[in-house]
Amino acid sequence: MIEISINVLIRGIILLSVFLLFVCIYLSIRRGIEVAHLQKKNSYIKNNQTLWYRYFRDEISFTRKLIPKDKFEIQGLEEIFLVYIKHLSNESIQNKIKQFSNQHLKQYYQKKLKSRKWSSRMNAMYRIIDFYIDSLVNDCKALKARNLSAEEQFLLLKIYSSFDSKTFLKEFLSLTVAFSEFEYKKLLAGVSSEILEELLDCFDKLPLNVQCSIIDILGIKRNSEYLSFLESMLQHENTEIRIRSLKAIYAIGIISDLNQYMPFIDSSIWEERLMMAKLLGVLPLSEAGLHLEKLLTDQSWWVRSQAATTIGKYKDGEKLLKQVILETKDSFAADMANEVLKKRVY
Amino acid sequence: MNASVVENGSLETNGLLLDLENVKYLFNVLKANVIRSRTTITAIFIAIHDSVDFFDEEADQIQAEVTKFLQSTIRQTDLLFPLERPGLAWGVILSQSGEREAKAFFQRLHAQVKDKSTFLFQRFDLSFSASIAEIGTSDVSFEALLESGYNELINGLQKGAWQIEYVPLFKERKIETIRVSILEENDIFRHVLQTSIEGLPLEGFQLELRTFQDGYEFMESDWYQSSHTHIVIMNDTLPRKNGLEVLHALRLLPNNKRFTIFMMTKMNSEDNMIYAYEKGVDEYLNKPFNIRLFEAKMKRIFKRLWS
């Protein structure tokens, strides 16, 4: 059995108590400092949010009171700017934020870009994009010399797409990191039509998931100028490209010549027939009716369901569905027509 | 065809002129509805210029013919009645109308007389003057209206033919309290919306504004249960209870038409927008939106409340 004298025990307890006391004091001081920093940030917001509001509305001219004095006030300013950028914005507010940030926040983010901490660099890049700090593009380019993470490369491309389209194209076409389709779409959603045109010019040289992302973006943009490109993609050998193109054309909502779509009604791939069941809805019922009736007897449940839903959306769709129920020998088609009529999915 | 009260007290349209007692009764019903329906009514008093120049027989014929003519021009919801003075004179109460509509009514009469569109106007060289009283308050007696209308009509007659004089006394509306609720999680954004709404110029309204951090806090309060006209500005995504849940709860309330609901979103999804409109949203704002556009929409809502 180990024997410890009372003296040693008491000394040990005192030592540990003193240590605990120091830890408590240290934590209290740290907490106090954090609270003070938070208060500084909050008091900047409280004192200046109305001034910023009035400045953005041209009710007052710029005042030096708005310039933050330290990094905590900058954090407060970031919150104010982000609210305007994400929730309330117009060209005038964007220009004011851009001008102010390029003038008064440039040095702060420049320093952060050079930081050894990954999170500091990432935050700086996010803010450069949010606050349109184009004067830091060259500092961002200098980052290339470093061993950058995929996330940083992604943000760098975002910065180039906003401020330097030539560099964007060069870097995008020589990417060594593979991004997910979601990330490609995020990158491409904000690019100018000039960049998009350039990417369409070299479409065949791009990897498949980039090609698919570009087609999806063309659908999101809903610009009929891209219709002829999308229609040319209907002959593409890759199934995914063809299906995505049909989807994008559906989003644009124009069928220029039904004949080039006819093969998809009899396609062996059910997704293509499904997209046709959707796409035919952009034509008048007099033109699309027969094809939709055919798709209503399709072997795939999804195609039948979509065809019935599309018919149901027409003004005379209900009449046609009732007629199909009475006349068809295909019980699956009649069931689907009945289902749509019951749900009244119009 | 104008409305009249028959002996047993029921209403019917029979083309007869109303007597003043009946008009007073109907006027009191109409003015009581002014605040509730937020729609002004307007009285127009019309008199023939220089009516003393006619012989008695001519005067009787003119009175009957003009009455018939006026009856053919008013709507079923308007009231036509003869005035005892000055000379040949009539009163018309135009429901759901303002000064502008009354002026147009008088200008139409002017055009018809000028074009000599009826036998009456071909036979007699008639000219009229008018006074117009817009009523935006229920604190006005029929007698006071008649008195003020008469005084201004005399002014008009003195100034010359086809003059219109206005009675401003009953125009001023009672200040109405409107509630505004802002449901938004972000403190700064909430403050911006609040400052923006508080800065809006208001005519005839005063605002009671409250802000909430989420839908649950709003629904737990009894703030939305009053009978005030209530404008709700909320985000679609909110902690605890989201915008759609609040929308659904508000639209299930009786008399839910008092709510005008603005929904803000950053999702930019047309399907969500369609769904929200179908569920009863009045205005949709896609973020980021222009604060001036938001204010213009709010001003339009305030304007639309009074027609």
Side-chain angles (χ1 to χ4, degrees):
Chain A
M1 199 169 168
I2 304 165
E3 282 184 19
I4 303 173
S5 71
I6 295 290
N7 254 349
V8 172
L9 200 63
I10 289 171
R11 278 181 192 177
I13 289 170
I14 290 170
L15 209 67
L16 277 174
S17 302
V18 169
F19 175 72
L20 271 176
L21 189 71
F22 274 115
V23 168
C24 281
I25 291 169
Y26 171 75
L27 287 177
S28 306
I29 292 170
R30 282 297 302 237
R31 177 75 193 136
I33 292 170
E34 264 176 39
V35 169
H37 290 165
L38 199 67
Q39 272 174 353
K40 251 187 171 181
K41 184 182 106 175
N42 288 338
S43 89
Y44 178 86
I45 294 173
K46 201 178 155 200
N47 297 334
N48 292 291
Q49 58 178 338
T50 308
L51 277 181
W52 275 111
Y53 171 83
R54 298 189 63 200
Y55 172 61
F56 284 145
R57 294 176 61 98
D58 299 320
E59 290 174 5
I60 55 166
S61 47
F62 183 75
T63 151
R64 295 199 71 76
K65 265 175 82 180
L66 294 172
I67 302 171
K69 291 174 192 69
D70 53 41
K71 70 171 185 177
F72 309 107
E73 291 197 352
I74 290 180
Q75 285 168 7
L77 177 64
E78 281 180 334
E79 285 194 19
I80 294 176
F81 276 6
L82 284 174
V83 162
Y84 280 93
I85 281 160
K86 310 275 181 212
H87 303 291
L88 302 152
S89 200
N90 61 38
E91 216 174 301
S92 155
I93 293 178
Q94 281 169 10
N95 283 335
K96 281 177 176 164
I97 290 176
K98 180 179 175 177
Q99 204 185 341
F100 181 89
S101 306
N102 274 297
Q103 209 172 332
H104 300 287
L105 303 178
K106 185 183 168 185
Q107 278 185 328
Y108 175 73
Y109 292 118
Q110 202 167 32
K111 205 173 150 194
K112 278 191 160 263
L113 272 181
K114 287 173 185 159
S115 166
R116 293 179 68 182
K117 274 170 80 179
W118 174 84
S119 60
S120 287
R121 295 196 303 271
M122 285 291 285
N123 278 334
M125 284 195 268
Y126 272 122
R127 298 298 162 251
I128 289 168
I129 297 165
D130 290 335
F131 304 157
Y132 323 99
I133 314 177
D134 51 1
S135 59
L136 284 175
V137 171
N138 285 335
D139 296 78
C140 293
K141 282 182 187 168
L143 283 177
K144 215 187 155 191
R146 291 187 176 206
N147 190 15
L148 294 178
S149 65
E151 291 87 349
E152 285 171 295
Q153 290 197 44
F154 175 80
L155 285 185
L156 265 185
L157 279 170
K158 262 290 223 198
I159 290 170
Y160 296 149
S161 75
S162 302
F163 309 122
D164 187 350
S165 47
K166 271 189 184 167
T167 312
F168 172 79
L169 266 176
K170 198 179 127 204
E171 295 294 325
F172 187 78
L173 295 174
S174 58
L175 260 180
T176 48
V177 196
F179 294 126
S180 68
E181 240 186 69
F182 178 69
E183 284 168 319
Y184 280 126
K185 277 190 232 173
K186 268 177 86 174
L187 266 180
L188 296 168
V191 300
S192 63
S193 49
E194 290 78 29
I195 295 181
L196 214 48
E197 289 290 344
E198 299 248 15
L199 287 173
L200 294 185
D201 287 344
C202 56
F203 188 80
D204 294 335
K205 292 173 197 154
L206 297 169
L208 180 64
N209 56 354
V210 178
Q211 289 179 329
C212 289
S213 307
I214 290 175
I215 291 172
D216 285 352
I217 291 295
L218 296 183
I220 290 168
K221 289 199 180 282
R222 291 188 175 179
N223 188 341
S224 56
E225 277 177 27
Y226 299 122
L227 190 63
S228 57
F229 172 82
L230 289 168
E231 283 178 343
S232 72
M233 286 298 113
L234 296 177
Q235 317 299 328
H236 203 278
E237 56 187 17
N238 186 288
T239 314
E240 192 60 30
I241 296 277
R242 292 199 305 270
I243 295 170
R244 301 262 187 141
S245 300
L246 285 169
K247 202 173 152 195
I249 293 168
Y250 170 71
I252 294 172
I254 299 171
I255 290 183
S256 58
D257 174 16
L258 183 59
N259 287 330
Q260 58 183 323
Y261 294 86
M262 291 304 282
F264 295 108
I265 296 175
D266 299 307
S267 165
S268 58
I269 298 152
W270 71 266
E271 288 95 334
E272 288 182 342
R273 300 197 304 275
L274 172 73
M275 281 318 303
M276 278 314 291
K278 255 185 148 173
L279 190 52
L280 283 167
V282 307
L283 293 174
L285 188 58
S286 54
E287 278 180 61
L290 274 178
H291 307 301
L292 283 168
E293 275 187 67
K294 186 178 178 187
L295 290 168
L296 192 56
T297 60
D298 197 276
Q299 56 179 339
S300 156
W301 181 90
W302 292 103
V303 179
R304 290 199 305 274
S305 169
Q306 183 57 55
T309 307
T310 306
I311 295 171
K313 282 182 181 167
Y314 285 103
K315 195 178 158 197
D316 295 327
E318 190 177 341
K319 207 168 123 190
L320 181 60
L321 287 174
K322 282 178 181 166
Q323 191 186 322
V324 168
I325 294 168
L326 287 175
E327 292 173 4
T328 187
K329 286 172 188 165
D330 184 337
S331 60
F332 290 105
D335 280 352
M336 190 52 75
N338 254 323
E339 207 172 295
V340 168
L341 280 177
K342 268 186 211 159
K343 282 186 194 165
R344 302 193 71 80
V345 187
Y346 296 112
Chain B
M1 190 68 71
N2 58 313
S4 77
V5 181
V6 292
E7 279 165 11
N8 63 7
S10 64
L11 281 170
E12 68 171 26
T13 53
N14 58 9
L16 291 174
L17 268 181
L18 293 170
D19 64 42
L20 283 184
E21 271 312 300
N22 288 333
V23 176
K24 184 180 172 183
Y25 170 77
L26 290 168
F27 171 75
N28 286 336
V29 174
L30 286 175
K31 79 169 186 190
N33 205 33
V34 164
I35 299 296
R36 194 177 158 78
S37 66
R38 294 197 197 89
T39 315
T40 55
I41 55 175
T42 300
I44 175 164
F45 302 99
I46 304 165
I48 291 184
H49 206 251
D50 296 331
S51 54
V52 284
D53 295 349
F54 299 111
F55 297 114
D56 284 352
E57 268 180 36
E58 277 179 341
D60 287 347
Q61 194 189 348
I62 290 168
Q63 178 160 38
E65 289 292 320
V66 171
T67 302
K68 213 167 139 188
F69 173 77
L70 289 174
Q71 276 171 343
S72 70
T73 58
I74 61 172
R75 301 164 298 184
Q76 281 193 329
T77 48
D78 300 334
L79 308 172
L80 171 67
F81 53 97
L83 291 176
E84 288 163 2
R85 51 183 189 155
L88 293 173
W90 297 261
V92 182
I93 292 177
L94 303 167
S95 62
Q96 298 181 333
S97 303
E99 275 180 357
R100 200 185 293 179
E101 287 76 18
K103 189 182 171 190
F105 178 84
F106 191 62
Q107 282 169 340
R108 279 199 298 275
L109 175 67
H110 190 181
Q112 304 247 27
V113 171
K114 216 169 120 189
D115 295 348
K116 298 193 181 297
S117 60
T118 65
F119 178 66
L120 169 74
F121 300 144
Q122 286 164 13
R123 196 171 153 214
F124 297 102
D125 194 13
L126 298 178
S127 58
F128 296 79
S129 288
S131 67
I132 291 173
E134 184 179 291
I135 296 145
T137 171
S138 50
D139 299 334
V140 49
S141 71
F142 187 57
E143 288 76 14
L145 174 69
L146 284 184
E147 189 58 34
S148 310
Y150 170 76
N151 290 339
E152 288 304 327
L153 188 54
I154 293 293
N155 276 342
L157 287 168
Q158 280 168 358
K159 283 186 184 170
W162 300 110
Q163 278 293 321
I164 304 176
E165 293 297 313
Y166 293 93
V167 181
L169 288 174
F170 318 117
K171 216 174 158 182
E172 201 165 310
R173 306 186 310 237
K174 212 172 167 184
I175 302 278
E176 189 190 348
T177 302
I178 290 180
R179 287 196 167 175
V180 179
S181 301
I182 300 169
L183 282 70
E184 167 59 45
E185 193 185 2
N186 185 295
D187 296 340
I188 301 173
F189 185 34
R190 215 168 48 232
H191 178 264
V192 171
L193 291 175
Q194 185 174 354
T195 316
S196 156
I197 292 168
E198 284 172 347
L200 288 175
L202 296 171
E203 226 175 272
F205 299 108
Q206 64 180 19
L207 297 185
E208 278 182 3
L209 192 147
R210 262 174 74 172
T211 59
F212 300 87
Q213 284 201 327
D214 56 59
Y216 184 76
E217 192 189 337
F218 175 74
M219 294 310 294
E220 281 298 293
S221 72
D222 56 1
W223 173 250
Y224 68 93
Q225 284 168 344
S226 73
S227 60
H228 293 93
T229 297
H230 199 140
I231 300 172
V232 181
I233 299 142
M234 61 184 172
N235 210 357
D236 57 348
T237 38
L238 289 167
R240 302 204 284 179
K241 228 178 191 75
N242 68 30
L244 276 177
E245 286 174 283
V246 174
L247 170 71
H248 187 65
L250 292 181
R251 288 296 177 220
L252 279 181
L253 292 173
N255 196 14
N256 69 71
K257 276 185 185 165
R258 69 179 188 276
F259 291 103
T260 301
I261 302 175
F262 279 71
M263 186 83 95
M264 302 178 290
T265 184
K266 62 176 177 187
M267 284 193 275
N268 207 3
S269 149
E270 282 176 0
D271 285 343
N272 288 354
M273 277 173 75
I274 292 167
Y275 182 75
Y277 273 121
E278 281 172 358
K279 291 290 165 197
V281 152
D282 296 293
E283 284 288 349
Y284 221 89
L285 293 161
N286 271 319
K287 291 195 276 189
F289 55 82
N290 188 331
I291 190 80
R292 292 194 193 279
L293 175 74
F294 166 71
E295 286 169 358
K297 287 186 177 191
M298 286 292 287
K299 281 186 206 162
R300 190 72 209 122
I301 297 285
F302 290 134
K303 265 240 155 71
R304 257 197 337 233
L305 289 177
W306 264 93
S307 48

Tab-separated table of all heavy atoms in Angstrom, chain A residues 48 51-52 55 60-67 100:
chain	number	residue	atom	x	y	z
A	48	ASN	N	-23.826	52.373	-36.539
A	48	ASN	CA	-23.659	52.764	-37.943
A	48	ASN	C	-24.673	52.186	-38.919
A	48	ASN	O	-24.707	52.606	-40.073
A	48	ASN	CB	-22.248	52.384	-38.413
A	48	ASN	CG	-21.208	53.232	-37.720
A	48	ASN	OD1	-21.109	54.426	-37.957
A	48	ASN	ND2	-20.464	52.619	-36.802
A	51	LEU	N	-26.772	54.852	-40.377
A	51	LEU	CA	-25.966	55.733	-41.243
A	51	LEU	C	-25.735	55.080	-42.599
A	51	LEU	O	-25.862	55.716	-43.643
A	51	LEU	CB	-24.614	56.015	-40.588
A	51	LEU	CG	-24.550	57.138	-39.541
A	51	LEU	CD1	-23.137	57.280	-39.022
A	51	LEU	CD2	-25.024	58.451	-40.150
A	52	TRP	N	-25.377	53.778	-42.569
A	52	TRP	CA	-25.176	53.059	-43.835
A	52	TRP	C	-26.463	53.033	-44.644
A	52	TRP	O	-26.455	53.237	-45.856
A	52	TRP	CB	-24.694	51.614	-43.573
A	52	TRP	CG	-23.209	51.521	-43.382
A	52	TRP	CD1	-22.555	51.222	-42.230
A	52	TRP	CD2	-22.198	51.751	-44.371
A	52	TRP	NE1	-21.198	51.244	-42.426
A	52	TRP	CE2	-20.951	51.561	-43.738
A	52	TRP	CE3	-22.220	52.100	-45.719
A	52	TRP	CZ2	-19.738	51.712	-44.419
A	52	TRP	CZ3	-21.015	52.246	-46.391
A	52	TRP	CH2	-19.796	52.060	-45.745
A	55	TYR	N	-26.870	56.351	-46.160
A	55	TYR	CA	-25.859	56.573	-47.202
A	55	TYR	C	-26.233	55.794	-48.475
A	55	TYR	O	-26.171	56.318	-49.585
A	55	TYR	CB	-24.487	56.152	-46.678
A	55	TYR	CG	-23.407	56.148	-47.735
A	55	TYR	CD1	-23.064	57.321	-48.414
A	55	TYR	CD2	-22.732	54.974	-48.064
A	55	TYR	CE1	-22.077	57.312	-49.399
A	55	TYR	CE2	-21.752	54.956	-49.035
A	55	TYR	CZ	-21.428	56.124	-49.712
A	55	TYR	OH	-20.470	56.117	-50.679
A	60	ILE	N	-27.684	60.829	-47.191
A	60	ILE	CA	-26.532	61.568	-46.640
A	60	ILE	C	-25.319	61.261	-47.509
A	60	ILE	O	-25.287	60.238	-48.201
A	60	ILE	CB	-26.212	61.178	-45.174
A	60	ILE	CG1	-26.008	59.648	-45.044
A	60	ILE	CG2	-27.279	61.649	-44.215
A	60	ILE	CD1	-25.363	59.228	-43.737
A	61	SER	N	-24.332	62.152	-47.459
A	61	SER	CA	-23.108	61.842	-48.197
A	61	SER	C	-22.162	61.045	-47.292
A	61	SER	O	-22.402	60.921	-46.085
A	61	SER	CB	-22.453	63.116	-48.703
A	61	SER	OG	-22.404	64.046	-47.674
A	62	PHE	N	-21.112	60.537	-47.886
A	62	PHE	CA	-20.200	59.662	-47.143
A	62	PHE	C	-19.553	60.414	-45.977
A	62	PHE	O	-19.178	61.567	-46.088
A	62	PHE	CB	-19.122	59.127	-48.091
A	62	PHE	CG	-18.193	58.177	-47.415
A	62	PHE	CD1	-18.619	56.890	-47.122
A	62	PHE	CD2	-16.919	58.572	-47.040
A	62	PHE	CE1	-17.767	56.005	-46.474
A	62	PHE	CE2	-16.069	57.696	-46.398
A	62	PHE	CZ	-16.500	56.412	-46.119
A	63	THR	N	-19.469	59.726	-44.843
A	63	THR	CA	-18.816	60.335	-43.685
A	63	THR	C	-17.727	59.394	-43.163
A	63	THR	O	-17.880	58.174	-43.217
A	63	THR	CB	-19.829	60.652	-42.560
A	63	THR	OG1	-19.167	60.596	-41.320
A	63	THR	CG2	-20.995	59.693	-42.521
A	64	ARG	N	-16.650	59.970	-42.642
A	64	ARG	CA	-15.520	59.159	-42.185
A	64	ARG	C	-15.891	58.290	-40.981
A	64	ARG	O	-15.200	57.335	-40.653
A	64	ARG	CB	-14.322	60.059	-41.845
A	64	ARG	CG	-13.761	60.783	-43.060
A	64	ARG	CD	-12.346	61.269	-42.803
A	64	ARG	NE	-11.357	60.197	-42.748
A	64	ARG	CZ	-10.885	59.556	-43.807
A	64	ARG	NH1	-11.307	59.864	-45.020
A	64	ARG	NH2	-9.974	58.606	-43.661
A	65	LYS	N	-17.007	58.647	-40.344
A	65	LYS	CA	-17.480	57.852	-39.201
A	65	LYS	C	-17.741	56.403	-39.595
A	65	LYS	O	-17.705	55.491	-38.773
A	65	LYS	CB	-18.797	58.450	-38.676
A	65	LYS	CG	-18.606	59.419	-37.518
A	65	LYS	CD	-19.903	60.056	-37.143
A	65	LYS	CE	-20.723	59.155	-36.242
A	65	LYS	NZ	-22.004	59.789	-35.876
A	66	LEU	N	-18.017	56.207	-40.890
A	66	LEU	CA	-18.366	54.864	-41.365
A	66	LEU	C	-17.141	53.947	-41.480
A	66	LEU	O	-17.271	52.730	-41.538
A	66	LEU	CB	-19.068	54.955	-42.729
A	66	LEU	CG	-20.439	55.635	-42.738
A	66	LEU	CD1	-20.935	55.839	-44.158
A	66	LEU	CD2	-21.445	54.796	-41.966
A	67	ILE	N	-15.944	54.552	-41.548
A	67	ILE	CA	-14.732	53.739	-41.749
A	67	ILE	C	-14.409	52.978	-40.457
A	67	ILE	O	-14.242	53.591	-39.399
A	67	ILE	CB	-13.534	54.621	-42.153
A	67	ILE	CG1	-13.883	55.376	-43.440
A	67	ILE	CG2	-12.276	53.787	-42.335
A	67	ILE	CD1	-12.871	56.435	-43.822
A	100	PHE	N	-16.127	51.472	-51.611
A	100	PHE	CA	-15.666	51.556	-50.224
A	100	PHE	C	-14.677	50.432	-49.919
A	100	PHE	O	-13.613	50.661	-49.331
A	100	PHE	CB	-16.868	51.459	-49.271
A	100	PHE	CG	-16.485	51.549	-47.825
A	100	PHE	CD1	-16.417	52.774	-47.178
A	100	PHE	CD2	-16.159	50.405	-47.096
A	100	PHE	CE1	-16.041	52.863	-45.842
A	100	PHE	CE2	-15.779	50.479	-45.774
A	100	PHE	CZ	-15.724	51.718	-45.148
